[in-house]
Amino acid sequence: MIREILTFDSPLLREHSQEVKNFDGELWELLDDMYETMKKADGIGLAAPQIGVLKRVIVIDTGGKTGKIELVNPVITAMWGKQEEAEGCLSLLHKRGIVKRPMHVRAKAYDRFGKLRRYHVKELLARAFCHETDHLNGILYKDKVIEWVEDE
Ligand code: NI
């Protein structure tokens, strides 16, 4: 089911999201809805608080061969290097800004079945991991923008 995506003026986007305890049908439905909503909006990442659900759940799909990534209770365990690129957010359409992010990210997260998985991602995926994890802590990329750029 397509859900409504909240915009940056929503106070919910400043909340700290809670850890998922149950890897059940409710979680799977949330993940499925998030993916459907993200795809329809033509995005590459979505965090649950963006649809008003304060849970530590993320979906990412940058369109590469990695495909869909589902992160539940993600923790970034290491990051190094740096990249400065324009990024955007489905909660703030028609804007993009330059944000400094690490080039490499290591993270661990549960999948929808409660299995712990480890990731080493770089470039755009590293940026997406950081951006979406920030959402779970009430941090928005606009807080980190060095310079706004014209939307293409
Ligand atoms: Ni975002």
Side-chain angles (χ1 to χ4, degrees), residues 60 69 71 76 105 107 119 121 125-133:
I60 290 171
I69 298 173
L71 304 173
I76 291 177
V105 168
Y119 296 87
V121 291
L125 268 176
R127 175 173 294 280
F129 269 57
C130 292
H131 177 113
E132 302 308 335
T133 306

Side-chain angles (χ1 to χ4, degrees), residues 136-149:
L136 305 182
N137 299 319
I139 298 166
L140 301 175
Y141 87 94
K142 69 172 182 177
D143 305 339
K144 299 182 170 180
V145 166
I146 298 167
E147 187 184 354
W148 292 97
V149 295

Side-chain angles (χ1 to χ4, degrees), residues 7-62:
T7 52
F8 274 11
D9 53 0
S10 169
L12 277 182
L13 288 184
R14 290 304 190 176
E15 296 288 322
H16 185 94
S17 291
Q18 300 302 306
E19 288 209 347
V20 170
K21 297 268 193 287
N22 301 309
F23 296 81
D24 55 9
E26 189 185 329
L27 172 66
W28 301 350
E29 190 179 341
L30 172 63
L31 282 161
D32 291 342
D33 285 359
M34 285 172 62
Y35 191 71
E36 199 180 338
T37 303
M38 179 188 82
K39 283 307 229 183
K40 173 129 188 297
D42 214 17
I44 62 168
L46 189 73
Q50 290 180 274
I51 58 165
V53 177
L54 294 177
K55 290 184 180 171
R56 305 186 79 77
V57 176
I58 289 167
V59 293
I60 290 171
D61 188 344
T62 56

